[in-house]
C-alpha cells in the first residue's frame, strides 16, 4: 500500500498523519490552539529527498519530504 | 505562514510576513483561506487566497507574496459581500495547459477567471444560481462554496454552490445544474478524482438553515459520469444518525491509484478511503472541528 502524508487542520491546531505499510500514525497538535484553515503540500520540487519519479501504477509524483505550507490563524469564526 | 520540509518535525516562518496587504488597500489580513502551489510548469509559484477576498502570488516558493492588483481593483469589487464565514477567496485553480489561466472563487462574489496571468479578470458564473438575491441569475454575486477541476478534461469543472451543484464543460463560460439525484444540493466541499475523468466527490448538507449531513447520514456522494448520476458511499462510515458537517476544504484526494479520499467534519472525526471511496475507515475522533485536510503520496 502506498505511503501517504495526511494533514488535518483543525480549529485548534494541525495534526499530521503518515501511513506506512498500511498503518496510520498521527502526531500533533502543531500550532496548538491556532486555527488552521489552509494547508498546501507541495510535491513539485525535484530536490534531494523529493523525487518526481513516476510510481509504478499512477505516474503521480512522490516525495519523501514534500514541503507543507500552513497559515495558522488566531481568530476562528464559528461559521464557514 | 510557516513551511516544513521534514514532514512537520520543524517549521520555518519567513522573516517578514509572507502575505501582507499593501498600504494603499487600507486592508489588513484576516485569514488565508487557501494555499495553492501552481503546476509543475511553474515550480516556484504559489498562490494564496485571503480574507478580505484577494489573490496573492509568490514567485519564490512562498517566501513572499504580491497582491494580484487587477483582481483587487476589479470594477465589481465594491459589490462583493461577505458570506457566512467572511469574505474569502477560497478556491484557486491553475490550468495545467497554461500557467496564465487561473480560476478563483469568492464567497460571496462567485467565480472569476483570468487568461492573461492576472492582468484582467472576468466573472464566470453564467448558469450558477443565487437564490438569495432578487436576481437569481446575476453576472456575479453567487455564493460559490468550492470548485474543482476534472482530472481528464481541464475544461470541465465541478462547483458546489450555496444551493446547487453545477458542472462546466467550457472552463466556466457556462454552468449546468447536476444536482438531480442528490438528497440535497446544498453543501460546502467538492473534490475531483485525481486520475479518472468524470469522477468527483461531494458531501451533501441538508440546508443552509440546517447544516448537518443530508438525511442525517454520514455519506460521501460520488459521480462517475460527470454529474449525470450520483452514488452514495457509506461502507465503513457511521450508519446511525450523524451530525458531522464537512466544510469546504475538509474533503480531498491523494494521487494514488486507486485514489485515497479523505474527509473530516465538525465533530472532529477524520475518515479515509484507499479505494476511490468504495470503503472507508475512521482514522481520528474527538479532534477539534476539522477545517481542512490535504494528502499526498510519500515514498
Amino acid at each position: 500500500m502506498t505511503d501517504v502524508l495526511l494533514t488535518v487542520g483543525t480549529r485548534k491546531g494541525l495534526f499530521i498523519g503518515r501511513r506506512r505499510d498500511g498503518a496510520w500514525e498521527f502526531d500533533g497538535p502543531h500550532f496548538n490552539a491556532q486555527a488552521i484553515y489552509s494547508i498546501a503540500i507541495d510535491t513539485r520540487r525535484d530536490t534531494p529527498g523529493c523525487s518526481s519519479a513516476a510510481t509504478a501504477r499512477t505516474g503521480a509524483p512522490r516525495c519523501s519530504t514534500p514541503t507543507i505550507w500552513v497559515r495558522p490563524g488566531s481568530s476562528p469564526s464559528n461559521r464557514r | 505562514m510557516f513551511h516544513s520540509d521534514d514532514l512537520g518535525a520543524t517549521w520555518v516562518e519567513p522573516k517578514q510576513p509572507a502575505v501582507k496587504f499593501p498600504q494603499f488597500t487600507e486592508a489588513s489580513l484576516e485569514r488565508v483561506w487557501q494555499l495553492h502551489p501552481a503546476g509543475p510548469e511553474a515550480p516556484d509559484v504559489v498562490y494564496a487566497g485571503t480574507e478580505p477576498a484577494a489573490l496573492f502570488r509568490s514567485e519564490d516558493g512562498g517566501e513572499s507574496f504580491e497582491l494580484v492588483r487587477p483582481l483587487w481593483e476589479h470594477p465589481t469589487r465594491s459589490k462583493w459581500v461577505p458570506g457566512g464565514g467572511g469574505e474569502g477567496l477560497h478556491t484557486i485553480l491553475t490550468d495545467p495547459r497554461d500557467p496564465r489561466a487561473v480560476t478563483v472563487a469568492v464567497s460571496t462574489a462567485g467565480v472569476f477567471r483570468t487568461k492573461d496571468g492576472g492582468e484582467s479578470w472576468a466573472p464566470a458564473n453564467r448558469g450558477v444560481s443565487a437564490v438569495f438575491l432578487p436576481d437569481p441569475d446575476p453576472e456575479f454575486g453567487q455564493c460559490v462554496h468550492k470548485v474543482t477541476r476534472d482530472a481528464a478534461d481541464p475544461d470541465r469543472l465541478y462547483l458546489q454552490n450555496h444551493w446547487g451543484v453545477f458542472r462546466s464543460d467550457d472552463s466556466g463560460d457556462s454552468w449546468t445544474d447536476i444536482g438531480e439525484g442528490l438528497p440535497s444540493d446544498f453543501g460546502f466541499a467538492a473534490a475531483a478524482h485525481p486520475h479518472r475523468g468524470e469522477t468527483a466527490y461531494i458531501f451533501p448538507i441538508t440546508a443552509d438553515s440546517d447544516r448537518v449531513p443530508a438525511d442525517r447520514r454520514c455519506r460521501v456522494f460520488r459521480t462517475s459520469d460527470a454529474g449525470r448520476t450520483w452514488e452514495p458511499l457509506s461502507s465503513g462510515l457511521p450508519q446511525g444518525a450523524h451530525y458531522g458537517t464537512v466544510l469546504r476544504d475538509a474533503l480531498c484526494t491523494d494521487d494514488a491509484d486507486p485514489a485515497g479520499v479523505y474527509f473530516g467534519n465538525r465533530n472532529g472525526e477524520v475518515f479515509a478511503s484507499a479505494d476511490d471511496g468504495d470503503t472507508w475507515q475512521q482514522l481520528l475522533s474527538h479532534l477539534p472541528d476539522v477545517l481542512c485536510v490535504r494528502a499526498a503520496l510519500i515514498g
Side-chain angles (χ1 to χ4, degrees):
Chain A
M1 186 175 273
T2 312
D3 294 346
V4 173
L5 172 71
L6 175 62
T7 54
V8 180
T10 78
R11 194 172 296 280
K12 294 185 182 295
L14 170 70
F15 296 81
I16 299 178
R18 301 162 192 89
R19 188 186 69 196
R20 297 192 189 279
D21 300 324
W24 284 97
E25 289 185 3
F26 282 85
D27 62 50
H30 304 260
F31 309 104
N32 185 39
Q34 298 187 68
I36 308 294
Y37 281 89
S38 50
I39 308 169
I41 304 176
D42 189 349
T43 59
R44 296 171 299 173
R45 289 178 174 279
D46 191 12
T47 55
C50 179
S51 170
S52 60
T55 60
R57 297 185 61 190
T58 69
R62 252 189 206 192
C63 289
S64 58
T65 56
T67 298
I68 310 170
W69 289 94
V70 300
R71 205 286 176 172
S74 57
S75 56
S77 165
N78 286 326
R79 294 181 293 179
R80 187 193 180 198
Chain B
M1 190 95 72
F2 291 77
H3 75 269
S4 172
D5 293 321
D6 54 10
L7 300 179
T10 59
W11 295 90
V12 176
E13 184 178 26
K15 292 177 182 174
Q16 301 296 325
V19 178
K20 183 179 180 182
F21 279 88
Q23 193 165 11
F24 79 87
T25 63
E26 299 183 346
S28 59
L29 180 68
E30 294 288 333
R31 180 182 302 162
V32 174
W33 284 58
Q34 192 78 175
L35 291 166
H36 177 80
E41 72 284 355
D44 290 322
V45 174
V46 181
Y47 289 97
T50 66
E51 175 187 351
L55 181 67
F56 287 78
R57 187 175 195 268
S58 169
E59 295 185 353
D60 59 6
E63 292 295 317
S64 63
F65 286 80
E66 185 172 344
L67 176 70
V68 177
R69 195 163 170 169
L71 182 62
W72 178 259
E73 296 173 340
H74 197 272
T76 65
R77 181 177 187 87
S78 62
K79 297 180 180 177
W80 298 4
V81 297
E87 187 202 79
L89 192 155
H90 53 69
T91 294
I92 304 165
L93 300 175
T94 45
D95 190 324
R97 302 164 297 186
D98 181 2
R100 295 166 58 82
V102 181
T103 300
V104 302
V106 175
S107 293
T108 297
V111 177
F112 287 75
R113 288 184 304 172
T114 181
K115 298 178 181 178
D116 56 13
E119 293 299 317
S120 64
W121 294 83
N125 301 290
R126 188 155 57 90
V128 180
S129 59
V131 297
F132 49 86
L133 293 177
D135 175 3
D137 189 23
E139 182 184 20
F140 66 92
Q142 286 82 350
C143 189
V144 173
H145 288 172
K146 201 66 193 175
V147 187
T148 187
R149 190 187 298 280
D150 187 87
D153 181 355
D155 285 327
R156 176 166 287 158
L157 306 174
Y158 306 96
L159 184 155
Q160 174 65 67
N161 198 42
H162 186 105
W163 291 116
V165 180
F166 297 89
R167 185 190 78 226
S168 174
D169 294 329
D170 49 21
S171 294
D173 287 341
S174 62
W175 297 87
T176 302
D177 190 333
I178 56 170
E180 188 172 341
L182 291 168
S184 168
D185 63 5
F186 189 86
F188 293 100
H193 192 284
H195 312 295
R196 196 191 303 166
E198 302 194 338
T199 303
Y201 304 86
I202 63 168
F203 192 96
I205 301 296
T206 297
D208 48 359
S209 59
D210 187 13
R211 298 183 181 204
V212 299
D215 300 327
R216 309 287 200 269
R217 296 182 62 187
C218 185
R219 293 177 297 180
V220 173
F221 278 71
R222 177 178 63 196
T223 181
S224 301
D225 53 14
R228 295 171 188 85
T229 61
W230 293 92
E231 170 189 11
L233 308 174
S234 62
S235 177
L237 295 177
Q239 297 300 304
H242 202 268
Y243 299 88
T245 300
V246 176
L247 299 177
R248 74 182 81 227
D249 282 308
L251 169 68
C252 76
T253 60
D254 64 23
D255 282 329
D257 186 9
V261 190
Y262 309 86
F263 71 93
N265 60 33
R266 297 196 68 179
N267 289 1
E269 299 164 326
V270 177
F271 300 92
S273 169
D275 53 11
D276 296 325
D278 290 340
T279 62
W280 298 82
Q281 71 174 119
Q282 184 168 349
L283 301 183
L284 294 166
S285 58
H286 309 302
L287 295 182
D289 314 39
V290 175
L291 305 175
C292 60
V293 295
R294 290 292 182 269
L297 305 187
I298 53 176

